[in-house]
Amino acid sequence: MTQNDAKSASLSARALFGLRLAALVVILLGGVILTQVPHIGTGAGFIVVGPRVFPTVIGIGVLLLGILFLLRTTFQPDRDLIAEVEAEETSTDWATIVLTFLSLVVYAALLKPLGYALATGLFFPAVARIFGSTRLGRDVIIGVILGLVIYLSFTQILGVRLPAGLLAGIL
């Protein structure tokens, strides 16, 4: 086995591992959706289609697709997909992915105490900087406007309550 063959086999093994890991994440997501469905309120009165129906259908669908994907990557791997994953692996900037993920975790943690508008106002410029933006002022303005417009649209027009946080008295 030449060095190139060994390197190719290593990339293929990593690609298959990544695909199977993605399948497991999809299965986990389907499971999380299904475990959260019982926490959805049923509402008052009789309705033909309750609020739990669509999340249940989506949860089952995601779970089944994850299982099928795992079976496909285990028993009959798609060589073209593996080649595509290998090509993407060589050009992926993992630092950007990890920093974006961490910023999402921080964003989720800040949603309740700061509120949707402020958390979004901080999240947008942070992710823009991670993606390479050098115009902090513009990004902050866009983030604040975006956060406020979405917050007001959801709360005032759609009637969906988003956390107000520190701006509870103002919004």
Side-chain angles (χ1 to χ4, degrees):
M1 179 181 264
T2 66
Q3 186 176 6
N4 283 342
D5 290 341
K7 187 176 181 181
S8 177
S10 172
L11 276 174
S12 293
R14 280 188 15 201
L16 271 173
F17 175 76
L19 289 170
R20 290 175 185 148
L21 184 63
L24 290 173
V25 168
V26 172
I27 291 169
L28 180 67
L29 178 62
V32 167
I33 292 170
L34 290 174
T35 61
Q36 296 305 306
V37 169
H39 300 292
I40 297 173
T42 57
F46 175 76
I47 50 177
V48 177
V49 177
R52 295 180 182 174
V53 171
F54 289 113
T56 301
V57 170
I58 290 170
I60 291 170
V62 169
L63 187 66
L64 288 175
L65 287 173
I67 291 169
L68 289 173
F69 188 43
L70 182 62
L71 292 172
R72 171 76 175 164
T73 58
T74 302
F75 295 112
Q76 191 179 11
D78 184 349
R79 295 293 162 208
D80 292 334
L81 180 59
I82 292 170
E84 188 70 31
V85 170
E86 289 171 352
E88 289 295 324
E89 173 72 25
T90 60
S91 64
T92 300
D93 181 11
W94 287 106
T96 300
I97 291 172
V98 169
L99 287 173
T100 303
F101 176 75
L102 291 175
S103 66
L104 276 169
V105 170
V106 171
Y107 177 61
L110 293 177
L111 270 176
K112 192 168 185 173
L114 291 183
Y116 181 85
L118 288 178
T120 302
L122 293 173
F123 174 72
F124 186 86
V127 172
R129 179 63 59 127
I130 291 168
F131 289 164
S133 175
T134 57
R135 301 190 55 197
L136 182 62
R138 177 201 61 187
D139 296 338
V140 168
I141 291 169
I142 291 172
V144 168
I145 291 172
L146 189 66
L148 286 172
V149 167
I150 292 172
Y151 176 83
L152 292 173
S153 297
F154 270 77
T155 57
Q156 302 301 315
I157 297 170
L158 298 175
V160 175
R161 301 303 309 164
L162 296 175
L166 297 176
L167 300 178
I170 300 171
L171 298 176

